[in-house]
């Protein structure tokens, strides 16, 4: 069985590429704008089509479900074929899906369409690997944190959809025009990505087979622990963004437009704005120690949220969780290039976990409402998952032995010194 350290590749430090960083950020923002569409539409579908709260929660959960399903193959393909090609094809595929959305009709058609739009959320995997390949380890946390600001795209999508539905495309029929409207920037972004970005010459895996790339999933427990930590950190966004509009409408009787345009949009902003900070901190300090503090505070807020004391207290807990989760997600992403050479494949697994959390927890919340008549059980499950993440980072279970064996012997002498200085717990024996 491979050790995670054998995946560390630092033979040549890439120089960085601002053009790739900013175009990837814009493309990722657009992908997440597409991903947020059905979450914004869900409260309106209750009114237009007499769907139940459980039905629209399941509908909102389909986007993260499909994102989880395609994230791993997208990550592998990005490692093999390069981010420029894969991201361009992803955007072209989104364009076709969005155009077809104009013809959707009926609940099951919405379920299918909502699933396919999850491809927009999976764009994170491709952009993360592409940006990472252009930056040295000492700057990857900051660069990937800036890239991950694209999470704010969910807010863009929700605001745009809600505005169009309430002020331009009124009624249950006109809303379908939203999809061709979004298809235009998707097509333009595909062209921009193909003509204005390039793949890094520093880290290429084109000569490797898919079997060689997927071997990273058998490299040890660390790859799965990283995926779980991303399940909880990024899952805060995918879960709350999917469920929050319907939850606020059903539990606290918040107006549908306000739930989407104000409360849920602010949630996404909270996650996005702290991701660069989390990446910056992970570049300069022990990432696991940073995560221990973040998850510890998140445990307290998750328990407060599960009690549902009042709307104001609930919003305080949710936004606090969002701010902490954004920083935590960036710190988790920093761990990937630190331990693994196949960033796309591991990012795909992590993204799949984060997206699967959105689907799983939204369905759990729907089941809690349907079977038990309330949301407490669903939020209680979420609190327990946060406790598990805190335990992993506090005790470093699974990381200690891997880290001891993971001293990057191929690094230059200065880089080894920097590595040991920043991660003293990881350097208990000589390289």
């Amino acid at each position: 069985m491979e050790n995670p350290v054998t995946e560390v590749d630092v033979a040549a430090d890439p120089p960085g590429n601002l053009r790739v960083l900013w175009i990837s950020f814009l493309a990722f923002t657009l992908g997440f704008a597409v991903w947020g569409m059905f979450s914004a539409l869900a409260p309106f579908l209750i009114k237009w089509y007499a769907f139940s709260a459980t039905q629209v929660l399941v509908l909102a959960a389909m986007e993260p479900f499909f994102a989880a399903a395609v994230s791993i193959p997208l990550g592998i393909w990005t490692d093999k074929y390069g981010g420029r090609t894969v991201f361009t094809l992803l955007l072209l595929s989104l364009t076709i899906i969005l155009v077809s959305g104009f013809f959707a009709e009926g609940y099951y058609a919405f379920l299918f369409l909502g699933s396919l739009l999850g491809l927009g959320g999976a764009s994170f995997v491709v952009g993360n690997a592409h940006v990472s390949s252009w930056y040295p380890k000492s700057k990857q946390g900051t660069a990937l944190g800036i890239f991950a600001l694209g999470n704010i795209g969910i807010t863009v999508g929700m605001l745009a959809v809600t505005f169009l539905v309430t002020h331009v495309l009124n009624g249950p029929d006109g809303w379908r025009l939203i999809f061709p409207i979004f298809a235009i920037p998707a097509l333009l972004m595909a062209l921009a990505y193909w003509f204005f970005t390039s793949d890094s010459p520093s880290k290429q895996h084109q000569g490797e087979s898919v079997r060689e790339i997927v071997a990273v999933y058998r490299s040890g427990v660390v790859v799965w622990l990283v995926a779980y930590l991303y399940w909880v950190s990024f899952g805060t966004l995918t879960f709350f963004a999917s469920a929050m509009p319907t939850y606020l409408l059903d539990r606290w009787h918040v107006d549908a437009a306000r739930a989407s345009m104000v409360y849920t949009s602010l949630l996404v902003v909270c996650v996005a704005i702290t991701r660069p900070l989390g990446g910056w901190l992970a570049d300069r300090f022990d990432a696991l120690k940073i995560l221990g503090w973040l998850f510890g505070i998140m445990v307290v807020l998750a328990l407060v949220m599960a009690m549902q004391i009042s709307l104001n207290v609930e919003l305080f807990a949710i936004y606090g969780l969002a701010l902490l989760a954004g920083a935590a997600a960036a710190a988790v992403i920093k761990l990937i290039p630190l331990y693994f050479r196949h960033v796309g494949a591991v990012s795909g697994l992590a993204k799949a976990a984060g997206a699967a959390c959105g689907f799983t927890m939204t369905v759990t919340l729907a089941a809690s409402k349907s079977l038990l008549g309330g949301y407490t059980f669903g939020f209680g499950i979420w609190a327990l998952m946060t406790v598990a993440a805190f335990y992993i980072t506090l005790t470093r279970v699974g990381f200690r032995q891997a880290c001891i064996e993971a001293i990057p012997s191929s690094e230059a002498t200065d880089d080894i010194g920097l590595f040991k200085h920043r991660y003293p717990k990881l350097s208990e024996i000589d390289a």
Side-chain angles (χ1 to χ4, degrees), residues 116-174:
L116 294 181
L117 291 177
L119 188 62
S123 63
F124 169 81
V125 177
V126 185
N128 187 75
H130 195 188
V131 171
S132 176
S133 70
W134 272 108
Y135 283 83
K137 280 190 177 59
S138 61
K139 298 180 180 178
Q140 281 175 341
T142 303
L144 295 176
I146 292 172
F147 162 73
L149 271 171
N151 286 336
I152 204 169
I154 295 183
T155 295
V156 175
M158 297 187 77
L159 289 174
V161 166
T162 307
F163 175 79
L164 289 172
V165 166
T166 55
H167 294 88
V168 181
L169 310 174
N170 295 312
D173 295 319

Side-chain angles (χ1 to χ4, degrees), residues 34-40 42 45 51 53-71 97 106-122 238-239 241-243 246 351-352 354-364 366:
V34 171
W35 199 20
M37 294 174 71
F38 258 100
S39 181
L45 294 177
F51 294 154
T54 300
Q55 283 180 306
V56 295
L57 281 172
V58 172
L59 178 59
M62 296 312 296
E63 288 172 306
F65 171 78
F66 189 75
V70 300
S71 287
I97 294 168
Y107 184 70
Y108 292 105
F110 296 156
L111 282 177
F112 182 68
L113 175 63
S115 299
L116 294 181
L117 291 177
L119 188 62
T238 59
F239 171 32
S242 295
T246 303
K351 172 63 183 184
C357 177
F359 167 76
T360 304
M361 286 308 306
T362 303
V363 171
T364 299

Side-chain angles (χ1 to χ4, degrees), residues 18-106:
L18 285 176
R19 178 182 290 181
V20 168
L21 174 58
W22 290 112
I23 293 180
S24 296
F25 160 74
L26 291 174
F28 174 44
T29 301
L30 176 61
F32 258 45
V34 171
W35 199 20
M37 294 174 71
F38 258 100
S39 181
L41 282 170
F44 296 102
L45 294 177
I46 292 177
K47 178 174 64 175
W48 295 336
Y49 293 93
F51 294 154
S52 68
T54 300
Q55 283 180 306
V56 295
L57 281 172
V58 172
L59 178 59
M62 296 312 296
E63 288 172 306
F65 171 78
F66 189 75
V70 300
S71 287
I72 292 177
L74 279 175
I76 295 170
W77 294 337
T78 303
D79 277 340
K80 185 171 178 60
Y81 300 111
R84 174 173 173 254
T85 298
V86 177
F87 216 142
T88 301
L89 291 175
L90 184 152
L91 290 164
L92 289 174
S93 300
L94 268 182
T95 302
I96 296 171
I97 294 168
L98 286 165
V99 171
S100 68
F102 179 78
F103 304 99
E105 180 60 58

Side-chain angles (χ1 to χ4, degrees), residues 89-357:
L89 291 175
L90 184 152
L91 290 164
L92 289 174
S93 300
L94 268 182
T95 302
I96 296 171
I97 294 168
L98 286 165
V99 171
S100 68
F102 179 78
F103 304 99
E105 180 60 58
Y107 184 70
Y108 292 105
F110 296 156
L111 282 177
F112 182 68
L113 175 63
S115 299
L116 294 181
L117 291 177
L119 188 62
S123 63
F124 169 81
V125 177
V126 185
N128 187 75
H130 195 188
V131 171
S132 176
S133 70
W134 272 108
Y135 283 83
K137 280 190 177 59
S138 61
K139 298 180 180 178
Q140 281 175 341
T142 303
L144 295 176
I146 292 172
F147 162 73
L149 271 171
N151 286 336
I152 204 169
I154 295 183
T155 295
V156 175
M158 297 187 77
L159 289 174
V161 166
T162 307
F163 175 79
L164 289 172
V165 166
T166 55
H167 294 88
V168 181
L169 310 174
N170 295 312
D173 295 319
W175 74 272
R176 291 186 185 83
L177 290 172
I178 291 171
F179 296 106
I181 290 174
F182 271 74
I184 295 171
L187 177 60
L188 295 176
M189 197 71 245
L191 296 174
Y193 215 94
W194 179 255
F195 288 108
F196 296 105
T197 70
S198 58
D199 289 313
S200 170
S202 301
K203 294 184 179 182
Q204 297 291 325
H205 307 289
Q206 282 87 342
E208 299 182 47
S209 67
V210 171
R211 183 175 182 178
E212 290 173 319
I213 295 173
V214 299
V216 67
Y217 301 136
R218 302 192 301 273
S219 64
V221 69
V222 171
V223 67
W224 299 100
L225 291 175
V226 168
Y228 180 77
L229 295 178
Y230 205 64
W231 166 288
V232 177
S233 55
F234 183 71
T236 300
L237 173 61
T238 59
F239 171 32
F240 291 168
S242 295
M244 194 171 177
T246 303
Y247 168 66
L248 292 178
L249 173 69
D250 184 64
R251 173 65 178 84
W252 300 104
H253 310 294
V254 176
D255 175 72
R258 185 175 180 82
S260 295
M261 292 187 70
V262 179
Y263 291 129
T264 306
S265 296
L266 181 57
L267 163 82
V268 179
V269 172
C270 288
V271 173
I273 60 175
T274 54
R275 290 199 70 151
L277 174 63
W280 181 83
L281 289 171
D283 274 342
R284 285 153 181 78
F285 305 101
D286 183 341
L288 285 171
K289 181 177 289 187
I290 296 295
L291 286 168
W293 280 101
L294 293 171
F295 284 129
I297 303 172
M298 286 176 66
V299 168
V300 177
L301 292 176
L303 292 173
V304 171
M305 181 187 67
M307 291 187 286
Q308 302 175 80
I309 298 170
S310 68
L311 176 59
N312 289 335
V313 172
E314 195 77 347
L315 291 174
F316 172 81
I318 289 173
Y319 293 139
L321 281 166
L323 289 167
L324 295 166
V332 173
I333 289 300
K334 166 68 178 182
L335 294 174
I336 295 175
L338 182 65
Y339 285 96
F340 303 99
R341 181 164 56 90
H342 294 101
V343 175
V346 181
S347 296
L349 179 66
K351 172 63 183 184
C357 177

Side-chain angles (χ1 to χ4, degrees), residues 339-421:
Y339 285 96
F340 303 99
R341 181 164 56 90
H342 294 101
V343 175
V346 181
S347 296
L349 179 66
K351 172 63 183 184
C357 177
F359 167 76
T360 304
M361 286 308 306
T362 303
V363 171
T364 299
L365 204 64
S368 177
K369 169 64 177 177
S370 178
L371 300 177
L372 302 176
Y375 297 97
T376 302
F377 176 79
F379 287 136
I381 294 295
W382 178 250
L384 290 175
M385 290 180 176
T386 310
V387 169
F390 173 60
Y391 173 81
I392 291 170
T393 53
L394 179 68
T395 65
R396 299 171 184 260
V397 59
F399 281 91
R400 285 188 178 276
Q401 185 61 29
C403 292
I404 289 172
E405 297 172 359
I407 305 299
S409 58
S410 61
E411 289 193 48
T413 304
D414 290 344
D415 288 336
I416 293 176
L418 181 61
F419 182 89
K420 290 183 177 182
H421 174 70

